[in-house]
Amino acid sequence: MGLLAVGTPLEWPEAKKKASHVRDWGIEQLLAVWNRAKGKERDALLWGDEIEYLVVCLDDADRKARLSLRQADILRALAEDESLVRQGGGVPDLNSWRDNDGETAPTFHPEFGRFMLEATPGKPWGIGFKDLLGVEPNMKRRRTIAKEHMAATEAPITLTTFPHLGLPDTLVPDYPPSGERLRSQFLPDEIANPHIRFPTLAANIRSRRGRKVEINVPVYQDEKTPQPFFDPTVNYEMHKWPEDDDVRKGAAKQDHIYMDAMAFGMGSCCLQITFQAKNIEEGRKMYDQLSPLGPILLALTAATPIYKGMLADTDVRWNQISRAVDDRTAEELGEKPLVNNRWRIPKSRYASNSTYISQDPRLRPEYFDPQLIVDPELKTRLLRGGMDDLLATHFAHLFIRDPIVIFAEDLKELDLSKVDHFENLQSTNWQHMRFKPPPPGNETGWRVEFRSMEIQMTDFENAALSIFIVLITRAILSFDLNFYIPISLVAENMDRAHARDAISQQKFYFRKDPLSSQGVNSHKSHQHRRHQSSSSSPSSASASRSTSRGVSPDSASSEPKTPVFGPVEEEYELMSVNEIINGQQPSGIPPTPGLTSASGKDAPFPGLIPLVESYLNSMNVDVETRCELARYLDLIRRRADGTLWTGAKWIREFVGSHEEYNHDSIVSRGIGYDLCKAVESLASPNAADGNGLTPSWDKLLGRHTNR
């Protein structure tokens, strides 16, 4: 989370009047950035990760876990740590020291929930393979530093959601629910970061929507779960606010866990990766080719089976956050005829991508959403300003939304050296990929943010996933891979990823041949890769050095040619996560290392890990580094094939085998305490093997330890 602006926020009735004004100025700022940076070239292919923690207070005497609301105190302690700041770390928004002497320390940032911390490496990771081996130790260091600046009873835990968020006596300090901003039956206003942006964001979403947000998650039906099931925590007799009528009008669905506030979504933790491209063209390619991977990595990282002390019949957080920030009115949802709003909007502003943006000859018209909503006037302005149609469509789609938080001071004068109005819209479109223009005033380049993954319980897992995504981007760029499928199927895959145990029970639409239809620019791309072959960094794989067991881009394309397209339906099929990650194998043929070029439409999908390994085969990677990278890839491989469990499955098994569990879908406070203690133990570098846990952590990590 970046620097938080300070000012006088407008309540929604006033903000609504200024929405078009902010959109207009946002477009002007975007065009200014476009004209300044469209030709920007960056040699360094950098990347960074973001880890989010829950700050949990563990009461060993009463066997209760509660969320600590001391975010501000912890950040202040980190900011005042002179040794951290002198290493370039601390809290950038609060640091008073600026001396950097030696290794760069991690940096810490506020998040929406007052019980959350975000941590980043302090400086971007470089392009060398050795940098990849520094990720896990750095993540461990972040956790250790965070813990050192907390109270003795507090711990930084990487669970996606706190299992009892929304129940009484789960906050320290405690506050009564149903405040003026959230108006939640279950949560107090004080749960949100006190910076004025956050309560205003929550209040204006509710006000624009005309009712509270409505989050219903199907409950897991166990042996003794009541049928029908009615959320026992819902109070139908509350009459404090007009919105309290929501539940009497059917907001709480039968057989569902009901939640009613933004904090139930934005209080979730995740793992996000941002890549800096060498130029805008490369950034647009990464955005497109990583988009179909988002749902697959969501299923692979599933870690969210509990809400409000009840087991859910879903395993991931995404749709819950989507509903938690859904500001669409009844008209925009299609519940009423359009009278006061401009159009019906099919998705929340927190959703899967709706567009592709790369100027790639392989990008077919059939891949686009024919019903995509754009603001035609703003798109025309972008086109007249020199932006191409694909990118103008992308931003004109994002700008169909209203800005939610507007500061009065920002409306006095348009400053084209800033991007505050543009970011007002850009940063509140929470899609699973984000395309980020260079900010003014520094050397940062065009960036792409990969946003779908769930946070994992251990630093080993989070490091493995981060490294895996980085290596996939290198393979995409080195081999000019093609993962395009219709964007509507990416959205469908996101829904499929929510199913319980989706990693083994669901199949996902995926492209069959990633080496097909190289396109008219492939010759130029191939020559560029040959020019960079002398480097041994992850950003510069040489096509000409691919081994006989690996990809041979020469066989894919050596001369410019126009793509030859067949029926789009023949380009993709339903695959399991195991097939996507580890590859399809013809019946009776054992898996082979590496990858050979697809020779026809019926060739099996090679698998993401074989693609990555083929890329590594083409590089001068020393044996020690290659062995270390293999540890991380092995975790991904074995989780995809079902040998190892997702975090969600491990948590379900933990609850199901607990002596307090009555097989009625209710997760007691005692179970929640033991779960938080177990997760703290899992993440500890000093934890003993298994640590007496049921299930043992080898179901989660296998032979790998969180060392």
Side-chain angles (χ1 to χ4, degrees):
M1 181 170 293
L3 182 66
L4 296 175
V6 177
T8 307
L10 302 181
E11 300 293 327
W12 178 246
E14 290 302 312
K16 182 178 180 180
K17 299 174 185 177
K18 303 296 184 182
S20 293
H21 183 73
V22 172
R23 276 192 294 267
D24 288 343
W25 280 11
I27 290 295
E28 292 304 312
Q29 289 179 335
L30 172 59
L31 284 172
V33 171
W34 167 259
N35 287 315
R36 281 196 304 264
K38 60 185 177 182
K40 188 180 184 73
E41 294 281 344
R42 295 288 296 158
D43 292 331
L45 293 171
L46 305 177
W47 67 280
D49 67 87
E50 300 173 21
I51 295 284
E52 293 170 348
Y53 304 101
L54 301 176
V55 182
V56 176
C57 186
L58 295 165
D59 184 342
D60 295 336
D62 290 340
R63 287 187 67 245
K64 285 187 177 180
R66 300 177 179 90
L67 288 173
S68 170
L69 302 187
R70 292 197 326 109
Q71 178 194 84
D73 296 335
I74 296 167
L75 288 173
R76 190 176 302 111
L78 288 161
E80 293 173 354
D81 187 327
E82 180 180 345
S83 64
L84 270 185
V85 179
R86 283 185 171 170
Q87 295 176 63
V91 184
D93 293 353
L94 300 178
N95 286 350
S96 56
W97 302 86
R98 294 296 175 192
D99 182 19
N100 190 330
D101 119 16
E103 183 183 355
T104 302
T107 55
F108 296 85
H109 313 268
E111 262 296 339
F112 176 88
R114 215 181 216 171
F115 51 86
M116 302 171 71
L117 288 178
E118 177 189 292
T120 57
K123 67 177 182 179
W125 295 109
I127 60 177
F129 285 106
K130 290 294 186 183
D131 272 21
L132 297 180
L133 303 187
V135 175
E136 185 183 357
N138 186 275
M139 288 180 175
K140 290 182 179 299
R141 187 183 181 203
R142 285 178 242 175
R143 192 186 295 267
T144 298
I145 290 172
K147 172 62 178 173
E148 289 171 348
H149 292 80
M150 294 178 182
T153 57
E154 294 172 338
I157 289 178
T158 44
L159 280 174
T160 312
T161 59
F162 183 65
H164 291 96
L165 179 65
L167 297 185
D169 190 28
T170 54
L171 304 176
V172 180
D174 204 7
Y175 297 92
S178 196
E180 181 180 6
R181 292 294 188 170
L182 296 183
R183 303 191 180 182
S184 169
Q185 282 200 14
F186 313 106
L187 299 175
D189 285 359
E190 290 83 0
I191 202 167
N193 186 312
H195 187 283
I196 192 61
R197 177 179 185 269
F198 296 104
T200 302
L201 182 64
N204 284 0
I205 284 176
R206 173 181 49 76
S207 183
R208 186 188 188 281
R209 177 182 170 85
R211 52 188 167 178
K212 290 190 290 187
V213 296
E214 186 178 306
I215 310 164
N216 283 284
V217 184
V219 71
Y220 170 66
Q221 296 284 349
D222 208 341
E223 298 171 10
K224 300 179 183 178
T225 305
Q227 295 186 4
F229 175 88
F230 296 96
D231 187 333
T233 68
V234 176
N235 182 356
Y236 290 91
E237 301 305 320
M238 183 176 284
H239 294 276
K240 184 175 180 179
W241 304 105
E243 292 88 347
D244 291 333
D245 285 340
D246 290 357
V247 293
R248 289 183 283 276
K249 295 177 180 178
K253 308 298 184 186
Q254 178 179 310
D255 296 326
H256 285 73
I257 305 162
Y258 171 69
M259 293 164 282
D260 66 350
M262 182 176 172
F264 282 111
M266 285 304 197
S268 303
C269 298
C270 65
L271 170 66
Q272 297 176 350
I273 312 294
T274 299
F275 302 96
Q276 178 179 265
K278 65 175 182 164
N279 54 34
I280 187 172
E281 290 81 11
E282 186 171 88
R284 292 168 74 164
K285 173 176 283 191
M286 282 198 290
Y287 178 94
D288 279 14
Q289 297 304 326
L290 288 173
S291 287
L293 303 186
I296 312 308
L297 270 294
L298 179 60
L300 188 74
T301 59
T304 319
I306 304 174
Y307 290 96
K308 265 176 45 184
M310 291 170 269
L311 285 172
D313 206 33
T314 60
D315 272 358
V316 300
R317 79 200 186 286
W318 190 268
N319 282 348
Q320 282 64 268
I321 308 178
S322 175
R323 296 173 186 127
V325 296
D326 192 352
D327 68 334
R328 290 175 295 171
T329 67
E331 293 181 15
E332 290 168 335
L333 286 164
E335 297 172 354
K336 295 181 179 179
L338 286 173
V339 176
N340 299 309
N341 296 112
R342 294 182 290 172
W343 34 60
R344 182 180 179 274
I345 303 177
K347 293 181 180 180
S348 166
R349 60 199 303 153
Y350 196 113
S352 61
N353 293 358
S354 296
T355 58
Y356 289 121
I357 62 174
S358 178
Q359 293 177 306
D360 189 324
R362 302 170 300 185
L363 180 54
R364 303 178 59 172
E366 295 93 331
Y367 299 154
F368 292 98
D369 178 3
Q371 306 301 320
L372 182 72
I373 306 296
V374 300
D375 188 316
E377 294 182 5
L378 297 185
K379 179 178 177 180
T380 297
R381 286 174 57 187
L382 292 171
L383 292 172
R384 288 175 178 170
M387 191 175 289
D388 61 89
D389 186 80
L390 283 171
L391 208 54
T393 298
H394 170 76
F395 286 116
H397 170 66
L398 299 185
F399 272 59
I400 66 174
R401 311 287 179 174
D402 281 338
I404 300 299
V405 180
I406 300 175
F407 292 102
E409 293 81 359
D410 294 339
L411 299 175
K412 295 178 180 178
E413 183 179 1
L414 174 61
D415 188 344
L416 293 180
S417 69
K418 297 181 178 180
V419 289
D420 51 340
H421 298 292
F422 166 70
E423 286 295 339
N424 197 331
L425 276 301
Q426 161 93 343
S427 66
T428 55
N429 272 274
W430 297 280
Q431 298 186 339
H432 82 273
M433 296 290 301
R434 182 175 283 160
F435 185 66
K436 305 172 75 168
N442 61 51
E443 293 302 309
T444 304
W446 294 89
R447 291 152 297 148
V448 172
E449 188 176 31
F450 190 83
R451 300 171 43 81
S452 66
M453 291 189 292
E454 310 240 294
I455 197 72
Q456 305 295 285
M457 289 182 279
T458 69
D459 298 312
F460 173 70
E461 295 168 278
N462 288 315
L465 289 156
S466 301
I467 291 166
F468 179 54
I469 290 296
V470 171
L471 292 175
I472 287 174
T473 65
R474 302 306 102 198
I476 286 170
L477 297 176
S478 298
F479 300 144
D480 199 18
L481 299 177
N482 178 7
F483 293 126
Y484 279 126
I485 59 173
I487 198 72
S488 61
L489 297 183
V490 176
E492 182 171 337
N493 282 346
M494 288 293 281
D495 286 336
R496 288 170 176 259
H498 283 73
R500 178 163 45 91
D501 203 20
I503 193 170
S504 61
Q505 300 300 318
Q506 290 289 315
K507 290 198 172 185
F508 299 83
Y509 291 102
F510 212 75
R511 189 176 187 87
K512 293 189 283 187
D513 184 1
L515 300 173
S516 62
S517 302
Q518 295 295 316
V520 296
N521 292 330
S522 60
H523 180 68
K524 179 179 178 181
S525 171
H526 173 53
Q527 293 301 321
H528 173 71
R529 292 194 300 272
R530 289 178 61 89
H531 178 70
Q532 290 194 335
S533 64
S534 60
S535 171
S536 61
S537 72
S539 63
S540 56
S542 167
S544 61
R545 289 210 314 264
S546 295
T547 67
S548 61
R549 288 163 48 185
V551 174
S552 174
D554 285 324
S555 67
S557 174
S558 59
E559 296 295 335
K561 59 184 179 181
T562 301
V564 178
F565 296 128
V568 69
E569 296 79 10
E570 293 183 2
E571 296 180 348
Y572 57 84
E573 66 183 13
L574 286 168
M575 302 184 198
S576 67
V577 172
N578 183 38
E579 290 173 320
I580 294 169
I581 297 295
N582 293 318
Q584 296 173 322
Q585 296 298 326
S587 179
I589 300 179
T592 55
L595 171 70
T596 56
S597 295
S599 58
K601 66 180 181 180
D602 295 323
F605 180 73
L608 297 180
I609 285 184
L611 284 166
V612 164
E613 290 178 330
S614 183
Y615 160 72
L616 292 172
N617 288 342
S618 74
M619 304 303 299
N620 293 325
V621 185
D622 64 87
V623 173
E624 181 181 358
T625 300
R626 186 69 184 266
C627 289
E628 285 296 306
L629 293 177
R631 292 177 58 239
Y632 300 117
L633 295 179
D634 188 59
L635 176 78
I636 307 299
R637 177 186 291 108
R638 297 178 68 199
R639 179 173 292 183
D641 70 19
T643 305
L644 299 180
W645 295 351
T646 63
K649 185 171 182 177
W650 190 91
I651 292 170
R652 287 184 187 279
E653 293 294 331
F654 183 95
V655 171
S657 60
H658 198 283
E659 63 183 5
E660 292 185 20
Y661 183 60
N662 294 321
H663 300 278
D664 56 359
S665 306
I666 302 299
V667 181
S668 71
R669 293 297 301 276
I671 297 175
Y673 166 82
D674 287 342
L675 174 62
C676 288
K677 290 287 286 187
V679 173
E680 182 191 27
S681 174
L682 281 171
S684 170
N686 300 316
D689 257 2
N691 202 40
L693 296 175
T694 303
S696 174
W697 72 353
D698 63 357
K699 299 290 188 180
L700 188 71
L701 303 176
R703 63 178 179 273
H704 307 295
T705 61
N706 192 45
R707 66 190 191 191

